[in-house]
Protein backbone atom coordinates (compact mmCIF):
# COMPACT_ATOMS: atom_id res chain seq x y z
CA UNK A 1 0.00 0.00 0.00
CA UNK A 2 2.99 2.34 0.11
CA UNK A 3 4.24 4.33 -2.87
CA UNK A 4 7.54 6.01 -3.60
CA UNK A 5 5.89 9.25 -2.43
CA UNK A 6 4.66 7.91 0.92
CA UNK A 7 6.10 9.70 3.96
CA UNK A 8 7.82 7.83 6.81
CA UNK A 9 9.50 9.50 9.77
CA UNK A 10 13.31 9.57 9.89
CA UNK A 11 13.65 10.07 13.64
CA UNK A 12 15.30 8.23 16.56
CA UNK A 13 13.48 5.16 17.86
CA UNK A 14 14.08 2.91 20.88
CA UNK A 15 12.87 -0.67 21.29
CA UNK A 16 12.55 -2.07 24.82
CA UNK A 17 12.52 -5.88 24.98
CA UNK A 18 11.41 -7.63 28.19
CA UNK A 19 14.17 -9.83 29.59
CA UNK A 20 17.02 -7.93 27.92
CA UNK A 21 19.22 -5.51 29.82
CA UNK A 22 19.85 -3.11 26.95
CA UNK A 23 17.32 -1.43 24.70
CA UNK A 24 17.89 -1.42 20.92
CA UNK A 25 18.63 2.06 19.60
CA UNK A 26 19.26 1.80 15.85
CA UNK A 27 20.87 4.82 14.18
CA UNK A 28 21.57 6.28 10.77
CA UNK A 29 25.19 5.99 9.64
CA UNK A 30 25.63 9.76 9.74
CA UNK A 31 23.96 10.13 13.14
CA UNK A 32 21.67 12.80 11.64
CA UNK A 33 17.90 12.68 11.28
CA UNK A 34 15.65 14.57 8.86
CA UNK A 35 12.11 13.90 10.06
CA UNK A 36 9.28 12.82 7.72
CA UNK A 37 10.54 12.06 4.22
CA UNK A 38 9.38 10.31 1.06
CA UNK A 39 10.37 6.65 0.66
CA UNK A 40 12.12 7.49 -2.62
CA UNK A 41 14.34 10.02 -0.89
CA UNK A 42 14.91 7.77 2.14
CA UNK A 43 16.15 4.82 0.08
CA UNK A 44 18.27 7.12 -2.06
CA UNK A 45 20.00 8.44 1.07
CA UNK A 46 20.10 5.13 3.01
CA UNK A 47 18.03 6.28 5.98
CA UNK A 48 18.02 3.31 8.38
CA UNK A 49 15.25 4.58 10.63
CA UNK A 50 12.85 4.90 7.71
CA UNK A 51 13.58 1.32 6.66
CA UNK A 52 12.90 0.05 10.19
CA UNK A 53 9.60 1.93 10.47
CA UNK A 54 8.51 0.71 7.05
CA UNK A 55 9.31 -2.91 7.95
CA UNK A 56 7.40 -2.54 11.21
CA UNK A 57 4.40 -1.19 9.28
CA UNK A 58 4.23 -3.95 6.65
CA UNK A 59 5.22 -6.73 9.06
CA UNK A 60 8.30 -8.93 9.32
CA UNK A 61 6.42 -12.05 8.19
CA UNK A 62 5.18 -10.30 5.06
CA UNK A 63 8.71 -9.14 4.24
CA UNK A 64 10.27 -12.56 4.83
CA UNK A 65 7.70 -14.19 2.55
CA UNK A 66 8.30 -11.54 -0.10
CA UNK A 67 12.11 -11.82 -0.19
CA UNK A 68 11.76 -15.47 -1.22
CA UNK A 69 10.65 -14.08 -4.60
CA UNK A 70 14.27 -12.95 -5.06
CA UNK A 71 15.75 -16.35 -4.26
CA UNK A 72 16.63 -15.75 -0.60
CA UNK A 73 15.88 -18.47 1.94
CA UNK A 74 13.51 -17.25 4.63
CA UNK A 75 15.05 -19.42 7.37
CA UNK A 76 18.49 -17.87 6.79
CA UNK A 77 17.27 -14.35 7.60
CA UNK A 78 16.47 -12.76 10.99
CA UNK A 79 12.78 -12.71 11.86
CA UNK A 80 12.92 -9.28 13.51
CA UNK A 81 13.20 -5.61 12.61
CA UNK A 82 16.99 -5.79 12.20
CA UNK A 83 16.17 -7.44 8.86
CA UNK A 84 15.67 -3.89 7.53
CA UNK A 85 19.35 -3.13 8.16
CA UNK A 86 20.74 -6.20 6.42
CA UNK A 87 21.73 -8.18 9.52
CA UNK A 88 21.08 -11.42 7.67
CA UNK A 89 24.24 -12.81 6.07
CA UNK A 90 24.15 -13.61 2.35
CA UNK A 91 26.79 -14.37 -0.24
CA UNK A 92 27.57 -12.20 -3.28
CA UNK A 93 26.12 -15.06 -5.36
CA UNK A 94 22.78 -14.79 -3.55
CA UNK A 95 22.75 -11.01 -3.74
CA UNK A 96 23.51 -10.78 -7.44
CA UNK A 97 20.72 -13.32 -8.11
CA UNK A 98 18.33 -11.06 -6.18
CA UNK A 99 19.36 -7.91 -8.04
CA UNK A 100 18.90 -9.73 -11.35
CA UNK A 101 15.15 -9.77 -10.60
CA UNK A 102 15.23 -5.96 -10.55
CA UNK A 103 17.42 -5.70 -13.64
CA UNK A 104 15.40 -8.02 -15.89
CA UNK A 105 11.96 -6.69 -15.07
CA UNK A 106 10.80 -9.08 -12.34
CA UNK A 107 11.90 -12.62 -13.26
CA UNK A 108 13.94 -14.92 -11.02
CA UNK A 109 16.88 -16.54 -12.78
CA UNK A 110 19.56 -18.73 -11.23
CA UNK A 111 23.17 -17.87 -12.14
CA UNK A 112 25.22 -20.75 -13.50
CA UNK A 113 28.95 -21.22 -13.96
CA UNK A 114 29.32 -23.77 -16.78
CA UNK A 115 27.66 -22.94 -20.08
CA UNK A 116 29.05 -25.83 -22.12
CA UNK A 117 31.50 -28.73 -21.96
CA UNK A 118 33.15 -29.98 -25.14
CA UNK A 119 35.34 -33.01 -25.80
CA UNK A 120 38.79 -32.59 -27.29
CA UNK A 121 37.16 -33.23 -30.70
CA UNK A 122 34.72 -30.39 -30.22
CA UNK A 123 31.73 -32.59 -29.46
CA UNK A 124 29.32 -30.99 -27.00
CA UNK A 125 28.90 -33.36 -24.05
CA UNK A 126 27.02 -30.91 -21.85
CA UNK A 127 25.14 -27.68 -22.42
CA UNK A 128 23.35 -25.70 -19.74
CA UNK A 129 19.65 -25.06 -20.29
CA UNK A 130 18.84 -22.49 -17.62
CA UNK A 131 15.44 -20.82 -17.24
CA UNK A 132 15.44 -17.76 -19.50
CA UNK A 133 13.57 -14.47 -19.22
CA UNK A 134 10.83 -14.35 -21.83
CA UNK A 135 8.48 -11.34 -21.51
CA UNK A 136 6.66 -12.34 -24.69
CA UNK A 137 5.79 -15.70 -23.09
CA UNK A 138 3.37 -14.06 -20.68
CA UNK A 139 -0.35 -14.41 -21.25
CA UNK A 140 -1.78 -12.82 -24.39
CA UNK A 141 -5.07 -10.87 -24.35
CA UNK A 142 -8.10 -13.16 -24.70
CA UNK A 143 -11.42 -12.55 -26.47
CA UNK A 144 -14.87 -13.03 -24.92
CA UNK A 145 -14.68 -16.77 -25.58
CA UNK A 146 -11.34 -17.10 -23.80
CA UNK A 147 -9.32 -17.55 -26.99
CA UNK A 148 -6.21 -15.48 -27.88
CA UNK A 149 -7.08 -12.25 -29.63
CA UNK A 150 -4.15 -12.46 -32.03
CA UNK A 151 -3.29 -15.88 -33.47
CA UNK A 152 -0.18 -14.56 -35.22
CA UNK A 153 1.13 -13.24 -31.90
CA UNK A 154 0.42 -16.65 -30.36
CA UNK A 155 2.41 -18.43 -33.08
CA UNK A 156 5.31 -15.97 -32.70
CA UNK A 157 5.23 -16.48 -28.94
CA UNK A 158 5.44 -20.25 -29.27
CA UNK A 159 8.27 -20.01 -31.82
CA UNK A 160 10.36 -17.78 -29.55
CA UNK A 161 9.65 -19.71 -26.37
CA UNK A 162 12.85 -20.97 -24.66
CA UNK A 163 13.13 -24.54 -23.38
CA UNK A 164 12.68 -23.31 -19.81
CA UNK A 165 10.96 -20.04 -18.96
CA UNK A 166 12.05 -18.09 -15.88
CA UNK A 167 9.08 -17.40 -13.58
CA UNK A 168 7.87 -13.88 -12.97
CA UNK A 169 8.09 -13.35 -9.22
CA UNK A 170 7.60 -9.57 -8.87
CA UNK A 171 5.10 -7.33 -10.65
CA UNK A 172 6.56 -5.29 -13.51
CA UNK A 173 5.09 -2.09 -12.04
CA UNK A 174 6.86 -2.57 -8.70
CA UNK A 175 10.17 -3.38 -10.38
CA UNK A 176 10.02 -0.34 -12.67
CA UNK A 177 9.34 2.05 -9.78
CA UNK A 178 12.05 0.52 -7.60
CA UNK A 179 14.53 0.68 -10.48
CA UNK A 180 13.77 4.39 -10.88
CA UNK A 181 14.50 4.88 -7.16
CA UNK A 182 17.77 2.94 -7.40
CA UNK A 183 18.76 5.12 -10.36
CA UNK A 184 18.34 8.08 -8.01
CA UNK A 185 20.90 6.46 -5.66
CA UNK A 186 23.46 7.10 -8.40
CA UNK A 187 22.05 10.44 -9.53
CA UNK A 188 21.56 12.04 -6.11
CA UNK A 189 22.32 9.59 -3.32
CA UNK A 190 25.13 7.56 -1.77
CA UNK A 191 26.63 6.41 -5.10
CA UNK A 192 26.95 9.70 -7.02
CA UNK A 193 30.58 8.83 -7.79
CA UNK A 194 29.22 6.37 -10.41
CA UNK A 195 27.96 9.31 -12.45
CA UNK A 196 31.52 9.40 -13.83
CA UNK A 197 30.52 6.45 -16.05
CA UNK A 198 28.24 8.90 -17.91
CA UNK A 199 25.39 6.44 -18.41
CA UNK A 200 21.70 7.09 -17.73
CA UNK A 201 20.69 3.43 -17.34
CA UNK A 202 22.59 2.55 -14.15
CA UNK A 203 20.98 1.80 -10.79
CA UNK A 204 22.31 0.37 -7.55
CA UNK A 205 22.65 0.44 -3.79
CA UNK A 206 25.49 0.85 -1.32
CA UNK A 207 25.71 -1.30 1.80
CA UNK A 208 27.82 -0.92 4.95
CA UNK A 209 27.66 -3.07 8.09
CA UNK A 210 28.29 -1.93 11.66
CA UNK A 211 31.88 -0.81 12.32
CA UNK A 212 32.58 -1.00 8.57
CA UNK A 213 33.22 -4.77 8.70
CA UNK A 214 31.64 -5.30 5.28
CA UNK A 215 31.27 -2.97 2.33
CA UNK A 216 28.96 -3.70 -0.61
CA UNK A 217 27.85 -2.19 -3.85
CA UNK A 218 25.31 -3.89 -6.08
CA UNK A 219 24.43 -2.19 -9.33
CA UNK A 220 22.97 -2.96 -12.72
CA UNK A 221 21.45 -1.97 -15.99
CA UNK A 222 18.99 -4.22 -17.88
CA UNK A 223 21.89 -6.17 -19.43
CA UNK A 224 24.37 -6.64 -16.59
CA UNK A 225 24.21 -7.09 -12.82
CA UNK A 226 27.36 -6.85 -10.68
CA UNK A 227 27.81 -7.20 -6.92
CA UNK A 228 31.03 -6.21 -5.13
CA UNK A 229 31.85 -7.18 -1.54
CA UNK A 230 34.87 -6.05 0.45
CA UNK A 231 35.83 -7.59 3.78
CA UNK A 232 38.28 -9.79 5.64
CA UNK A 233 38.16 -13.61 5.75
CA UNK A 234 38.21 -13.26 9.53
CA UNK A 235 35.63 -10.58 10.27
CA UNK A 236 37.25 -7.32 11.36
CA UNK A 237 36.70 -3.60 10.71
CA UNK A 238 37.95 -2.37 7.35
CA UNK A 239 38.77 1.03 8.78
CA UNK A 240 37.19 4.40 9.38
CA UNK A 241 34.88 5.58 6.58
CA UNK A 242 35.37 2.36 4.56
CA UNK A 243 31.74 2.33 3.47
CA UNK A 244 30.14 0.71 0.45
CA UNK A 245 30.55 3.96 -1.48
CA UNK A 246 34.21 4.30 -0.50
CA UNK A 247 35.51 0.71 -0.57
CA UNK A 248 33.25 -1.25 -2.95
CA UNK A 249 31.85 1.24 -5.48
CA UNK A 250 35.22 2.07 -7.16
CA UNK A 251 35.76 -1.62 -8.03
CA UNK A 252 32.24 -1.88 -9.40
CA UNK A 253 32.88 1.17 -11.57
CA UNK A 254 36.16 -0.21 -12.92
CA UNK A 255 34.49 -3.45 -13.91
CA UNK A 256 31.30 -1.95 -15.36
CA UNK A 257 33.27 0.61 -17.36
CA UNK A 258 34.70 -2.27 -19.40
CA UNK A 259 31.71 -4.63 -19.23
CA UNK A 260 29.35 -2.01 -20.68
CA UNK A 261 31.83 -0.33 -23.04
CA UNK A 262 30.12 -1.66 -26.19
CA UNK A 263 26.63 -2.03 -24.72
CA UNK A 264 24.16 0.66 -25.79
CA UNK A 265 22.15 2.38 -23.08
CA UNK A 266 18.93 0.48 -22.43
CA UNK A 267 16.17 1.05 -19.92
CA UNK A 268 13.20 -1.00 -18.78
CA UNK A 269 10.01 -0.12 -20.61
CA UNK A 270 7.51 1.69 -18.43
CA UNK A 271 4.67 -0.81 -17.77
CA UNK A 272 1.14 0.15 -18.87
CA UNK A 273 -0.02 0.20 -15.23
CA UNK A 274 2.39 3.00 -14.24
CA UNK A 275 1.65 6.70 -14.78
CA UNK A 276 3.76 9.78 -14.12
CA UNK A 277 2.10 12.43 -11.96
CA UNK A 278 3.09 15.69 -10.29
CA UNK A 279 3.41 15.68 -6.50
CA UNK A 280 4.26 18.18 -3.80
CA UNK A 281 7.71 17.08 -2.53
CA UNK A 282 6.82 18.30 0.96
CA UNK A 283 3.63 16.22 1.29
CA UNK A 284 3.76 13.54 -1.41
CA UNK A 285 0.24 14.55 -2.48
CA UNK A 286 -0.94 15.16 -6.03
CA UNK A 287 -0.79 18.75 -7.30
CA UNK A 288 -1.81 20.61 -10.44
CA UNK A 289 0.49 21.79 -13.23
CA UNK A 290 0.59 25.30 -11.74
CA UNK A 291 2.22 24.23 -8.48
CA UNK A 292 5.46 26.21 -7.97
CA UNK A 293 7.54 23.23 -6.68
Amino acid sequence: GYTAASFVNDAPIVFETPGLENAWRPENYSGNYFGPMRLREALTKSRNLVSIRLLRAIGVDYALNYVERFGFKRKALPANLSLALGTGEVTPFELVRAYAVLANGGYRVDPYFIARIESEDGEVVFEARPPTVCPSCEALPLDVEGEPDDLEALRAQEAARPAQVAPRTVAAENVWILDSILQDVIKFGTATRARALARKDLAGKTGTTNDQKDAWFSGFNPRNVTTVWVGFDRVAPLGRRETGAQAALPMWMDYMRDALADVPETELDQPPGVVTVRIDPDTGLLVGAGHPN
Side-chain angles (χ1 to χ4, degrees):
Y2 285 84
T3 76
S6 297
F7 270 71
V8 175
N9 197 15
D10 178 34
I13 189 170
V14 178
F15 296 95
E16 301 279 358
T17 304
L20 294 181
E21 293 183 6
N22 299 321
W24 183 43
R25 293 179 171 83
E27 299 177 346
N28 291 323
Y29 175 77
S30 65
N32 298 323
Y33 305 94
F34 296 102
M37 62 194 312
R38 286 173 288 131
L39 287 183
R40 172 181 292 273
E41 186 181 12
L43 185 59
T44 298
K45 296 181 178 179
S46 291
R47 310 309 295 176
N48 290 341
L49 279 300
V50 171
S51 296
I52 291 170
R53 282 187 168 87
L54 178 64
L55 179 57
R56 184 173 63 172
I58 67 174
V60 173
D61 282 342
Y62 176 85
L64 287 171
N65 287 333
Y66 203 90
V67 298
E68 290 184 311
R69 298 169 181 240
F70 297 86
F72 294 118
K73 295 179 181 178
R74 176 188 174 121
K75 291 183 178 179
L77 299 173
N80 55 57
L81 292 178
S82 73
L83 175 70
L85 306 184
T87 54
E89 293 187 354
V90 300
T91 65
F93 180 92
E94 292 172 303
L95 200 58
V96 78
R97 174 175 59 187
Y99 271 87
V101 177
L102 302 178
N104 65 33
Y107 305 87
R108 189 175 68 239
V109 294
D110 289 320
Y112 58 99
F113 297 101
I114 300 175
R116 186 174 65 255
I117 299 174
E118 298 179 359
S119 69
E120 59 184 3
D121 300 323
E123 179 185 356
V124 177
V125 296
F126 168 81
E127 187 166 9
R129 296 184 180 275
T132 303
V133 172
C134 181
S136 64
C137 295
E138 297 188 326
L140 294 171
L142 304 179
D143 59 23
V144 292
E145 297 178 354
E147 299 293 334
D149 264 344
D150 189 337
L151 289 178
E152 290 302 319
L154 179 62
R155 293 190 183 99
Q157 181 190 79
E158 291 301 319
R161 190 179 186 87
Q164 294 192 67
V165 178
R168 170 176 288 285
T169 59
V170 183
E173 296 86 353
N174 289 353
V175 170
W176 191 88
I177 291 172
L178 187 54
D179 280 6
S180 76
I181 296 174
L182 293 178
Q183 287 183 12
D184 281 358
V185 172
I186 290 177
K187 294 175 183 175
F188 316 111
T190 56
T192 53
R193 181 182 296 187
R195 290 190 297 186
L197 296 179
R199 294 185 65 104
K200 297 179 181 179
D201 60 348
L202 297 178
K205 188 71 187 72
T206 51
T208 309
T209 57
N210 288 347
D211 302 319
Q212 290 82 59
K213 294 175 181 176
D214 297 276
W216 295 82
F217 188 78
S218 295
F220 59 91
N221 81 340
R223 293 290 301 277
N224 191 307
V225 183
T226 303
T227 286
V228 171
W229 168 81
V230 184
F232 291 111
D233 292 339
R234 295 183 178 180
V235 179
L238 294 168
R240 190 166 178 264
R241 300 188 184 278
E242 291 300 315
T243 62
Q246 184 71 22
L249 179 59
M251 278 187 286
W252 182 88
M253 291 173 59
D254 285 346
Y255 173 76
M256 292 293 266
R257 184 178 287 109
D258 289 339
L260 299 178
D262 299 319
V263 178
E265 288 192 5
T266 54
E267 296 192 31
L268 287 178
D269 293 331
Q270 183 169 325
V274 175
V275 295
T276 300
V277 296
R278 295 175 182 269
I279 64 166
D280 183 333
D282 296 324
T283 65
L285 300 177
L286 296 174
V287 295
H291 191 275
N293 187 22

